[in-house]
Amino acid sequence: MAYATAAVSHPFNQFVSSSSLSSKKYPSPFIPKSIFTSTVLVPRHFPIPPLLPRDTSSFRRRKGRLYDPCTAYVSAPSTDALVEGDSEISTSDAESSMGSAVSWEVIFPLLWRNKLRIAVAMMALAGCTTCTLSMPIYSGKFFEILVGRRADSLMNMLTKLGLVYALEPICTIIFVLNMTTVWEKIMAILRGQVFKRLLIQKVQFYDSYKVGELTGLLSSDLGAMKDLVSDNISRDRGLRAFSEIIGTIIILFTLSPQLAPILAMLMLSISILVAIFKRNAIPIFKAHGMHQAEISDCATETFSTIRTVKSFAGEKHQMWMFGNLVLAFQKSATKLGVLKSANESLTRAVVYTSLITLFFLGGKKVMAGELAIGTMASFVGYTFTLTFAVQGSVSTLGDLRGTFVAIDRINSVLSATKVDESLASGLKFSKGMSNHKLRALYEEEPTQNNIPLTTSILKSGKEWCSLAWSGDICFEDVSFAYPSRTDVEVLSGLNLRLKCGEATALVGASGAGKSTIVQLMSRFYEPTKGRITAADEDIRTFDKREWARVVSLVNQEPVLFSVSVGENIAYGLPDETVPKEDVIKAAKAANAHEFIISLPQGYDTLVGERGSLLSGGQRQRVAIARALLKDAPILILDEATSALDAESERLVQQALVHLMKGRTTLVIAHRLSTVQNAHQIAVCSGGRIVELGNHVELLARNGQYASLVGTQRLAFE
Ligand SMILES: Nc1ncnc2c1ncn2[C@@H]1O[C@H](COP(=O)(O)OP(=O)(O)OP(=O)(O)O)[C@@H](O)[C@H]1O
Ligand SMILES: [Mg+2]
């Protein structure tokens, strides 16, 4: 049975090998771990309700919102958090400011790698320009032969013209092909590098930007850079236009120093006209682009929230919003049209004035025998060459300016932050990337900015794993405020010991900080004070990627990738090829096997975007199977069953019992009935643990836990 490699729509599919099921192996989608860890977060970005007017000006850096990462995951956040012997930690810095993502320092080595192709392209450019500029001269001589002013043979002249006509397109092909190949190679590497830089940011970075802003860096901003070459490679743009202007001026002054100033004036006037046009058109262009983005945003939001739209009978409102955006788009398009036509007609007027002046002055000189008629004809030809070249050059300069703005935007987002060096150095090994072309996208040229910092004090993964299997997890006087809201202390001096191999339940009111504890345990954030230890070792001394391997997180809304069910389970081990038997074993232990084999294509059934083709309980069981396959010693269940009905909950609970066996588990649940069998229950309130004990002890104490239980009983009665 052939193994279908699943959803074509999923961007990660490109990483998924197309091996078959018959080989009994599941290709584990090669996706860097950090994607996995970030997807289990509660949504950071809430869709803006359709009724609210929205600010769609994209890519604005929101001042003050970008966290200045003053805490490091290796460098100690505070001296009082460190115990003796931790001095090593405080002196090392595992965050790294990597400098500009796109800079000359990055691009030059890439250009240098392609020096041969660039040299060939430059020679071809010289060939193209020579051919183009010699055409008016040969045409002039051809007319002189026709009117009997030149003794050369007609055939001889036709051969020369034919040669120029044949050479020009050949040189053009060589120039365009080489320039495009080199630039596309460079752009592919830059895309890979920017994507990687976005991926290795600390979690607080993603709190500061909308998803659209980050994807915009990869699509529009890098797109502007790509277009700089692809849009300026034609004859009347970019390097060709520049070289034609220089060549034309030299030729004109050599042919007739008296007539050349007329064309120089023409060049000046056209430059001024195009510059004025550009200056006026840029704001309209920007508005036009923004309206286009708004139209696309509106459509995306409408269709992604279609059930909500329909449940509120909001079709009319959405049509009203869409219609207004379309009208605004149309208005800016019309304005652009008016400007373009004004520019076009003024340019023509300037060209015709130049021609008339040329005919008048040149004609007089030809009549007086001071100028050859062929030279006069050549001048007419150069009028058009110069017009197109000047127009193209000014446009290219505008594009260049736009590209610098885009590069600046990329750098301002990526250079201001400090990446997670642990992730960065882990990804440098490019595990699993056997394809050398793919690996080349992510390998960086060593520059002053990206020399990896030492992570030698980090303990190895094996060492860490055995500690995690055998030691307690301890929160020691942990305080924490979210980087985006530093003035609100969510945890203050929290102490908690999660006993090895036992289950600890965490209960408390909504907003008490339970999920925040989970985020700290997952090392998405670092405590602002205090420390978390595993077997008495500060967890910051361990590699973050290795840490991700020892913690499994199952939360209320598990996110599945839009690949097959089997591949989603195999994602528990993203760097490895997982045998199908292991996937089935995990699915069986998670109570998922039965429903999976009843799906149309069994384990090969696609689960849809974010797993939308499965029910909540099914999604949850696939997530549990994924966690079982991961076989991590520490398990976190954050409201893992709260979104389920009674039957699904029963099935998921059974699966969780398997999963929790022998693991150090932290369970968070609002339904207290689901946590009363835990070895210990901790009540979180006011940013600290206020009560600790088992169900019976806490009830006897008659404190906050007892009142929580009482409230829930009342609610059921
Ligand atoms: N990314 C964030 N940035 C800033 N503040 C946050 C962030 N996430 C949570 N908070 C705030 O931290 C506090 C604790 O939130 P947390 O999610 O830990 O509560 P919780 O105990 O899990 O609540 P619930 O039981 O409702 O899930 C809340 O006041 C919340 O507004
Ligand atoms: Mg929560």
Side-chain angles (χ1 to χ4, degrees):
M1 176 179 52
Y3 181 67
T5 329
V8 191
S9 62
H10 198 283
F12 300 136
N13 274 4
Q14 54 186 307
F15 295 112
V16 182
S17 84
S18 56
S19 65
S20 67
L21 251 193
S22 53
S23 67
K24 303 246 165 135
K25 298 270 185 200
Y26 265 91
S28 172
F30 184 80
I31 308 170
K33 200 115 191 179
S34 47
I35 291 182
F36 171 66
T37 49
S38 64
T39 52
V40 291
L41 278 174
V42 287
R44 294 176 303 269
H45 166 54
F46 297 94
I48 299 161
L51 282 169
L52 295 178
R54 54 188 301 192
D55 180 357
T56 43
S57 52
S58 49
F59 314 122
R60 258 184 315 108
R61 170 122 180 264
R62 275 158 287 161
K63 283 211 170 82
R65 285 186 56 198
L66 189 62
Y67 170 56
D68 174 23
C70 52
T71 56
Y73 87 93
V74 164
S75 60
S78 61
T79 45
D80 62 324
L82 293 170
V83 292
E84 270 182 24
D86 277 347
S87 54
E88 258 187 329
I89 305 175
S90 60
T91 51
S92 170
D93 185 356
E95 287 175 332
S96 163
S97 179
M98 295 181 88
S100 299
V102 183
S103 66
W104 188 236
E105 214 187 352
V106 175
I107 295 173
F108 183 73
L110 298 178
L111 286 171
W112 187 248
R113 264 192 227 167
N114 294 286
K115 50 188 175 299
L116 208 69
R117 272 187 182 276
I118 294 175
V120 172
M122 289 305 114
M123 282 192 292
L125 172 69
C128 295
T129 310
T130 311
C131 289
T132 313
L133 294 183
S134 54
M135 281 174 197
I137 294 179
Y138 285 129
S139 304
K141 287 182 178 168
F142 175 72
F143 285 115
E144 281 182 1
I145 293 171
L146 283 186
V147 295
R149 295 275 181 100
R150 187 171 277 267
D152 292 1
S153 93
L154 191 64
M155 271 320 285
N156 191 11
M157 188 50 61
L158 279 177
T159 313
K160 282 180 184 167
L161 258 176
L163 204 66
V164 169
Y165 286 149
L167 266 180
E168 200 270 346
I170 293 171
C171 289
T172 301
I173 289 174
I174 298 172
F175 171 66
V176 173
L177 214 62
N178 282 288
M179 285 298 283
T180 313
T181 310
V182 170
W183 197 241
E184 290 300 334
K185 267 190 192 175
I186 292 175
M187 285 313 301
I189 290 174
L190 286 181
R191 280 216 165 89
Q193 295 293 334
V194 172
F195 183 69
K196 183 175 155 192
R197 283 283 290 272
L198 287 168
L199 209 56
I200 58 177
Q201 299 294 324
K202 301 181 134 239
V203 170
Q204 52 259 37
F205 170 84
Y206 308 102
D207 288 342
S208 304
Y209 292 97
K210 286 187 199 168
V211 173
E213 285 174 316
L214 300 182
T215 50
L217 299 182
L218 288 162
S219 52
S220 356
D221 290 328
L222 282 178
M225 238 185 122
K226 179 192 131 46
D227 292 346
L228 180 66
V229 168
S230 50
D231 284 359
N232 287 291
I233 203 108
S234 54
R235 188 195 145 175
D236 54 345
R237 301 285 290 261
L239 286 175
R240 276 196 77 168
F242 285 126
S243 59
E244 279 181 15
I245 292 174
I246 294 167
T248 309
I249 291 171
I250 294 170
I251 292 171
L252 289 180
F253 276 93
T254 314
L255 285 178
S256 169
Q258 294 92 351
L259 287 184
I262 300 172
L263 293 193
M265 282 305 292
L266 165 78
M267 196 176 99
L268 193 69
S269 315
I270 291 175
S271 312
I272 293 170
L273 271 178
V274 180
I276 292 172
F277 167 71
K278 286 268 167 190
R279 177 174 283 259
N280 288 305
I282 280 173
I284 307 173
F285 261 124
K286 274 188 183 163
H288 193 61
M290 207 160 86
H291 292 142
Q292 196 169 12
E294 281 172 340
I295 287 177
S296 146
D297 270 5
C298 179
T300 309
E301 193 171 272
T302 305
F303 297 123
S304 61
T305 57
I306 192 70
R307 285 173 179 80
T308 314
V309 170
K310 289 199 177 295
S311 69
F312 283 96
E315 289 88 349
K316 219 160 119 183
H317 179 261
Q318 298 303 113
M319 280 164 66
W320 174 82
M321 276 216 321
F322 189 81
N324 277 332
L325 293 173
V326 169
L327 289 178
F329 183 68
Q330 183 196 1
K331 200 171 159 189
S332 55
T334 313
K335 270 191 195 170
L336 269 181
V338 171
L339 259 179
K340 270 185 188 165
S341 60
N343 176 60
E344 192 64 26
S345 46
L346 277 172
T347 306
R348 275 159 199 271
V350 170
V351 173
Y352 296 149
T353 313
S354 303
L355 280 175
I356 285 288
T357 318
L358 200 64
F359 290 151
F360 176 67
L361 295 177
K364 263 180 35 178
K365 279 182 181 290
V366 172
M367 300 286 262
E370 293 168 9
L371 190 75
I373 189 160
T375 309
M376 176 69 201
S378 304
F379 262 75
V380 175
Y382 284 122
T383 306
F384 292 103
T385 307
L386 208 54
T387 305
F388 294 134
V390 170
Q391 275 182 331
S393 298
V394 179
S395 298
T396 300
L397 288 177
D399 288 355
L400 206 59
R401 204 172 53 177
T403 304
F404 285 138
V405 171
I407 291 175
D408 194 44
R409 206 152 36 211
I410 296 170
N411 288 333
S412 72
V413 171
L414 287 175
S415 312
T417 60
K418 290 185 175 174
V419 300
D420 195 322
E421 179 61 32
S422 169
L423 276 179
S425 58
L427 290 173
K428 274 186 191 114
F429 296 111
S430 304
K431 279 184 209 162
M433 288 187 189
S434 52
N435 182 337
H436 73 279
K437 279 189 181 165
L438 190 58
R439 206 168 49 228
L441 297 185
Y442 300 107
E443 275 171 1
E444 285 168 58
E445 295 278 339
T447 67
Q448 282 299 320
N449 289 327
N450 65 18
I451 294 166
L453 295 169
T454 174
T455 51
S456 55
I457 63 152
L458 301 179
K459 293 189 169 55
S460 81
K462 271 193 186 144
E463 207 176 327
W464 172 236
C465 215
S466 61
L467 281 178
W469 277 113
S470 61
D472 294 350
I473 306 293
C474 247
F475 282 73
E476 295 178 8
D477 208 18
V478 169
S479 297
F480 178 72
Y482 279 96
S484 52
R485 230 184 273 164
T486 44
D487 49 330
V488 182
E489 202 166 57
V490 179
L491 303 180
S492 47
L494 181 132
N495 287 292
L496 178 64
R497 177 176 287 268
L498 309 182
K499 294 211 183 98
C500 178
E502 291 190 359
T504 301
L506 196 57
V507 299
S510 180
K514 303 182 294 295
S515 298
T516 305
I517 293 174
V518 170
Q519 306 230 39
L520 293 182
M521 255 183 93
S522 308
R523 294 184 66 191
F524 297 151
Y525 300 93
E526 301 297 337
T528 38
K529 232 173 118 191
R531 64 176 197 161
I532 305 171
T533 61
D536 292 329
E537 291 275 1
D538 192 314
I539 62 171
R540 288 168 297 173
T541 53
F542 296 94
D543 186 284
K544 224 173 197 175
R545 274 171 60 82
E546 296 300 342
W547 177 256
R549 285 172 204 270
V550 298
V551 179
S552 266
L553 175 54
V554 180
N555 61 9
Q556 190 171 358
E557 288 210 7
V559 174
L560 302 186
F561 298 107
S562 58
V563 286
S564 70
V565 184
E567 284 166 314
N568 265 294
I569 297 175
Y571 194 65
L573 300 169
D575 290 354
E576 293 162 31
T577 308
V578 185
K580 193 193 171 191
E581 300 83 68
D582 290 359
V583 169
I584 294 177
K585 208 168 126 193
K588 279 184 176 163
N591 267 348
H593 181 69
E594 296 301 318
F595 95 78
I596 294 173
I597 54 171
S598 70
L599 293 172
Q601 279 98 36
Y603 280 82
D604 296 329
T605 310
L606 302 181
V607 300
E609 205 178 339
R610 295 172 77 89
S612 61
L613 301 182
L614 299 182
S615 76
Q618 290 172 338
R619 264 203 302 275
Q620 198 61 280
R621 280 176 279 156
V622 171
I624 291 169
R626 184 166 68 182
L628 271 165
L629 197 66
K630 189 175 174 186
D631 195 24
I634 299 166
L635 174 66
I636 304 172
L637 306 172
D638 189 356
E639 304 279 5
T641 57
S642 60
L644 308 177
D645 59 49
E647 175 56 15
S648 295
E649 189 179 358
R650 192 185 59 78
L651 288 169
V652 172
Q653 276 296 355
Q654 279 176 359
L656 286 175
V657 170
H658 276 285
L659 186 58
M660 286 162 72
K661 218 172 275 170
R663 296 175 212 275
T664 309
T665 310
L666 181 69
V667 192
I668 298 174
H670 274 123
R671 245 176 270 170
L672 299 179
S673 57
T674 58
V675 301
Q676 58 193 18
N677 293 327
H679 296 94
Q680 61 172 1
I681 300 168
V683 181
C684 181
S685 173
R688 57 182 66 206
I689 302 301
V690 290
E691 285 176 25
L692 188 69
N694 64 31
H695 177 67
V696 180
E697 287 164 1
L698 290 185
L699 276 184
R701 199 167 152 170
N702 212 14
Q704 286 200 22
Y705 180 75
S707 76
L708 278 172
V709 173
T711 321
Q712 288 204 357
R713 279 212 186 108
L714 274 178
F716 277 107
E717 279 161 14

